[in-house]
Amino acid sequence: QVQLVESGGGSVQAGGSLRLSCAASGISGSINAMGWYRQAPGKQRELVAEITTDGMTNYADSVKGRFTISKDNAKRTVYLQMSRLKPEDTAVYYCNVRARRPGTLPRDYWGQGTQVTVSS
């Protein structure tokens, strides 16, 4: 059974920090990338940051210089360190894992989401 267990969300004042974690289990095949997306009320889900197995990273322009994504391959865990948070960072944050079994197309797995609320 595939599980993506997220933790670390919560409420913080503007300028504060939070660290999100997502531990993946039950995924067969090779993990190609892990990342975080977010969805604010009335908006589409958007990429926040992603990291590939070999460590290449990609960030949304809005979080560059403030958020850092990292991973532990052995633990199949991805982290998102969020600093200098702004009210516009308020959203539900979703963990994403892209994995592929030999001979098949990559597949996306999603966490249940964790709320991040930043007050001004």
Side-chain angles (χ1 to χ4, degrees), residues 5 7 11 14-15 21 28 30 32 38 47 52 57 62 64 66 68 71 74 83 89 92 95 101-103 105 113 118:
V5 180
S7 60
S11 298
S21 299
S28 59
S30 300
N32 299 137
R38 68 187 180 186
L47 173 70
T52 64
T57 58
S62 59
K64 284 180 180 177
R66 299 188 299 121
T68 302
K71 62 180 174 61
S83 302
D89 294 318
V92 177
C95 175
R101 290 183 289 177
L105 294 173
V118 184

Side-chain angles (χ1 to χ4, degrees), residues 59-68 81-84 86:
Y59 293 91
D61 288 342
S62 59
V63 307
K64 284 180 180 177
R66 299 188 299 121
F67 292 9
T68 302
Q81 177 66 47
M82 303 184 293
S83 302
R84 290 185 283 144
K86 303 175 180 180

Side-chain angles (χ1 to χ4, degrees), residues 11-117:
S11 298
V12 66
Q13 288 192 328
S17 299
L18 285 173
R19 187 186 192 222
L20 305 182
S21 299
C22 173
S25 62
I27 296 177
S28 59
S30 300
I31 291 178
N32 299 137
M34 305 180 80
W36 293 91
Y37 287 69
R38 68 187 180 186
Q39 187 166 18
K43 295 187 177 181
Q44 289 189 329
R45 190 175 296 189
E46 63 175 1
L47 173 70
V48 177
E50 63 182 357
I51 183 167
T52 64
T53 303
D54 56 5
M56 293 186 65
T57 58
N58 180 37
Y59 293 91
D61 288 342
S62 59
V63 307
K64 284 180 180 177
R66 299 188 299 121
F67 292 9
T68 302
I69 191 169
S70 61
K71 62 180 174 61
D72 184 326
N73 286 338
K75 295 181 179 179
R76 289 194 155 188
T77 299
V78 62
Y79 307 95
L80 185 68
Q81 177 66 47
M82 303 184 293
S83 302
R84 290 185 283 144
L85 282 160
K86 303 175 180 180
E88 51 263 43
D89 294 318
T90 296
V92 177
Y93 284 69
Y94 296 92
C95 175
N96 169 266
V97 174
R98 181 163 297 167
R100 187 180 70 88
R101 290 183 289 177
T104 68
L105 294 173
R107 177 178 174 178
D108 285 317
Y109 300 89
W110 294 93
Q112 78 283 1
T114 184
Q115 178 70 45
V116 171
T117 302

